[in-house]
Amino acid sequence: MDLPRSFTIRESGHRILNPFTPGKLATLGQALALPAGTRMLDLASGKGEMLCTWARDHGVSGIGVDVSTVFTTAARERAVELGVADRVTFVHGDASGHVADEPVDVASCIGATWIGDGLTGTLELLERSLRAGGLLLVGEPYWRIDPPDQATVEGCHMRRADELRSLPGLLARFGELGWDVVEMVLADQDSWDRYAAAQWLSVRRWLDGHPDDELAGEMRAELTTAPVRHALYQREYLGWGVFAIMRRPL
């Protein structure tokens, strides 16, 4: 059970595995004003940057679960580096079936709602670990501009335009599912660049060091097309944000 190597090659230079910069991640933590002692569960936790930095900056504790052995190892190393290994734990496992042993104050899935087969299923999964009155954090893409054609849809790594909503449509969807949106921090074009362009450098450095690897052809083809594809499609049309939601009272 692990991610394909292409993922870990592509994101080898990243600490945050989504279109957030460290500044935006810090802004989200500050906006939520989580009290010290807040207990978190982060599904698809990647390299653990959110849990580790929030443990350092806000005194939270928690568990991260991720299917990648490489990312989980990096998360554990980051916890030691920041001096928070006594407060955060990282587990290698299938986040799609993980439920906390005890209800947590905050449950999150930042940019990986495929673990619940989409937004609705992921919210249902997260809520199974959440205490009454707790907070869910969900990272999710949306159409920044409506895609004009199928080429744009596929250029944003989607199969159909209706796989995503507009930002107003996404916010409305949370309400339809019975949740109040109480905070959000959105990526912008610059933070998209930082996420995407850093991958190109990581891939090129890997190719220089592994010209005979069985993945070299695939990664070479990706690097050849990725910059133009990003500029044409993802940068212009695809939005992304983290949304904080709370269950509406019955």
Side-chain angles (χ1 to χ4, degrees):
M1 180 174 58
D2 213 328
L3 284 179
R5 275 200 303 141
S6 57
F7 283 79
T8 57
I9 293 167
R10 194 178 294 119
E11 298 190 325
S12 59
H14 293 60
R15 279 184 172 162
I16 300 172
L17 308 184
N18 58 59
F20 258 15
T21 60
K24 287 187 178 291
L25 185 60
T27 294
L28 179 63
Q30 293 161 5
L32 297 175
L34 301 174
T38 294
R39 294 165 300 125
M40 294 185 62
L41 173 68
D42 188 22
L43 299 184
S45 51
K47 296 184 181 180
E49 192 71 0
M50 182 172 71
L51 275 178
C52 288
T53 57
W54 288 8
R56 177 195 63 191
D57 298 340
H58 304 289
V60 308
S61 62
I63 295 174
V65 182
D66 199 276
V67 72
S68 169
T69 54
V70 171
F71 294 164
T72 301
T73 297
R76 292 168 179 162
E77 292 172 350
R78 184 63 165 155
V80 172
E81 178 185 356
L82 296 186
V84 296
D86 60 331
R87 278 177 274 167
V88 293
T89 301
F90 294 98
V91 176
H92 172 243
D94 183 1
S96 67
H98 189 94
V99 177
D101 293 335
E102 297 182 358
V104 298
D105 304 305
V106 179
S108 58
C109 177
I110 308 301
T113 53
W114 57 82
I115 67 170
D117 293 324
L119 180 64
T120 302
T122 300
L123 296 186
E124 292 171 353
L125 173 63
L126 290 172
E127 191 173 19
R128 293 170 62 191
S129 296
L130 193 67
R131 68 165 175 80
L135 188 72
L136 291 192
L137 300 178
V138 183
E140 186 75 347
Y142 56 87
W143 290 123
R144 180 173 168 268
I145 301 172
D146 289 338
D149 50 36
Q150 185 63 19
T152 302
V153 172
E154 294 176 4
C156 292
H157 305 285
M158 299 294 154
R159 292 168 298 176
R160 305 184 316 275
D162 62 4
E163 287 184 71
L164 297 182
R165 299 170 176 84
S166 66
L167 179 57
L170 178 57
L171 296 173
R173 181 58 179 160
F174 287 123
E176 293 166 1
L177 295 171
W179 297 87
D180 286 324
V181 178
V182 297
E183 185 57 273
M184 69 179 187
V185 176
L186 304 181
D188 54 27
Q189 288 180 305
D190 179 66
S191 56
W192 263 120
D193 292 345
R194 300 283 29 87
Y195 178 55
Q199 294 180 17
W200 311 334
L201 182 58
S202 293
V203 170
R204 175 54 195 264
R205 286 175 170 167
W206 181 86
L207 284 167
D208 288 347
H210 303 83
D212 299 321
D213 191 281
E214 63 182 2
L215 287 181
E218 173 187 334
M219 302 311 292
R220 176 69 257 176
E222 178 178 312
L223 181 58
T224 300
T225 60
V228 171
R229 180 172 180 159
H230 171 69
L232 275 176
Y233 302 121
Q234 182 173 283
R235 192 178 197 275
E236 294 300 316
Y237 292 93
L238 197 60
W240 192 90
V242 178
F243 303 88
I245 62 176
M246 298 178 70
R247 175 61 79 181
R248 288 176 178 168
L250 296 176

